[in-house]
């Protein structure tokens, strides 16, 4: 069964956090609360996904985003 909202998994492991994952999560949280994506997405924090060399790691639906940033995540959300 497909979840009615798009799922965004943000790695909150220590390497991703250090590489900007923490700020990215904050930005996404704010965007989901008040921006255009309000009510359409669900943000889920994960532990280390074992891809620390590609930090920060975010998964949007079934797409892995490596060394990502806020605009890349938004772009992917629009595509999926
Ligand atoms: S800390 Fe994010 S993949 Fe390891």
């Amino acid at each position: 069964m497909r979840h009615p909202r798009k799922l965004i998994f943000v790695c909150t492991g220590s390497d991703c956090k250090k590489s900007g994952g923490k700020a990215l999560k904050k930005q996404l949280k704010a965007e989901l609360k008040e921006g255009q994506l309000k009510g359409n997405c669900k943000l889920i924090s994960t532990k280390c996904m074992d891809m620390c060399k590609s930090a920060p790691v975010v998964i949007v639906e079934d797409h892995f985003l490596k060394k990502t940033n806020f605009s890349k995540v938004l772009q992917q959300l629009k595509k999926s």
Side-chain angles (χ1 to χ4, degrees), residues 26-78:
K26 219 173 170 184
Q27 280 181 303
L28 283 170
K29 221 174 179 178
E31 178 70 21
L32 298 187
K33 208 171 174 191
E34 287 156 15
Q36 300 173 334
L37 299 169
K38 191 179 173 186
N40 293 331
C41 302
K42 179 151 182 63
L43 191 65
I44 299 164
S45 303
T46 70
K47 289 185 178 172
C48 176
M49 297 192 236
D50 238 1
M51 292 187 292
C52 307
K53 282 187 182 162
S54 308
V57 178
V58 173
I59 303 174
V60 176
E61 294 280 80
D62 53 358
H63 291 274
F64 274 92
L65 302 172
K66 296 173 182 174
K67 295 189 180 176
T68 194
N69 57 37
F70 184 61
S71 60
K72 283 184 191 172
V73 174
L74 286 188
Q75 240 175 30
Q76 186 56 47
L77 278 167
K78 282 176 193 157

